[in-house]
Amino acid sequence: MREKELRRSMSVLPIGTVMKLTDLTARQIRYYEQQELIKPLRNEGNRRMYSLNDVDRLLEIKDYLDDGLNISGIREVYKKQSQLENERKHNLEKGLTDSDVRKILQDEFLNIGGLKPPSSSFEDPNNLNNLNKLNH
DNA sequence: TTTCTGACA
DNA sequence: TGTCAGTA
């Protein structure tokens, strides 16, 4: 499944193709790049080359815009999105899977409510200290 | 022919 | 955003 992601991130589409695929004008596509909503690579001739992920991103941007979101608002969405991705990555490096994190966070709430007595081992999801270990 | 940057409306 | 100019 990794192979698929690599292909989707390969920048091989010229702006003309992306225009047809997204129904956006070259002007708009370049403008969104200026606003850092997308970062297409450049080829030897300084021509922008887009990936399928970029196309998806542009279609998504179009939807957000229709929903009344402004450029900076969309920028925030992606900013927060990559932020969450990094947290997930860091947690993974610590050997914590997404479900581990969910379990720990859920138990945090139970502890805060005083419904369960705290313990000290890391393996014990009821330990409040686990929260600190989750952060960077 | 297609795309790029900059500029003006 | 649309469009035009002058390039690569």
Side-chain angles (χ1 to χ4, degrees):
Chain A
M1 194 55 109
R2 193 52 181 171
E3 177 83 2
K4 192 174 172 184
E5 293 176 36
L6 286 176
R7 292 186 190 289
R8 289 188 60 75
S9 61
M10 278 201 287
S11 300
V12 296
L13 312 172
I15 199 168
T17 302
V18 178
M19 287 175 67
K20 294 169 185 170
L21 256 32
T22 63
D23 200 46
L24 290 169
T25 64
R27 180 75 168 77
Q28 292 175 300
I29 297 172
R30 295 187 188 116
Y31 177 66
Y32 298 154
E33 176 184 1
Q34 273 197 314
Q35 301 309 307
E36 301 187 87
L37 264 37
I38 51 174
K39 347 214 170 312
L41 301 180
R42 299 299 186 101
N43 64 13
E44 319 73 45
N46 193 41
R47 266 56 197 300
R48 276 170 262 252
M49 298 305 276
Y50 301 83
S51 69
L52 292 178
N53 281 328
D54 290 328
V55 173
D56 279 342
R57 180 96 141 192
L58 286 169
L59 291 173
E60 206 174 293
I61 291 171
K62 208 165 57 152
D63 286 337
Y64 282 137
L65 256 27
D66 284 337
D67 290 340
L69 212 55
N70 55 42
I71 300 293
S72 59
I74 298 175
R75 197 185 294 125
E76 291 303 304
V77 171
Y78 291 140
K79 173 186 171 186
K80 201 158 291 181
Q81 206 167 79
S82 61
Q83 178 184 315
L84 288 177
E85 263 184 52
N86 277 322
E87 286 183 18
R88 185 179 61 78
K89 195 173 184 178
H90 284 299
N91 285 330
L92 245 42
E93 288 170 0
K94 294 173 185 170
L96 295 172
T97 66
D98 287 343
S99 65
D100 285 333
V101 176
R102 271 195 290 282
K103 182 179 178 62
I104 291 174
L105 289 178
Q106 181 190 345
D107 287 324
E108 291 300 333
F109 286 122
L110 292 178
N111 279 324
I112 292 174
L115 299 177
K116 286 185 176 183
S119 62
S120 59
S121 85
F122 180 81
E123 285 67 37
D124 188 338
N126 295 322
N127 185 1
L128 264 182
N129 293 323
N130 287 340
L131 231 201
N132 301 320
K133 297 174 184 176
L134 282 176
N135 296 323
H136 310 167

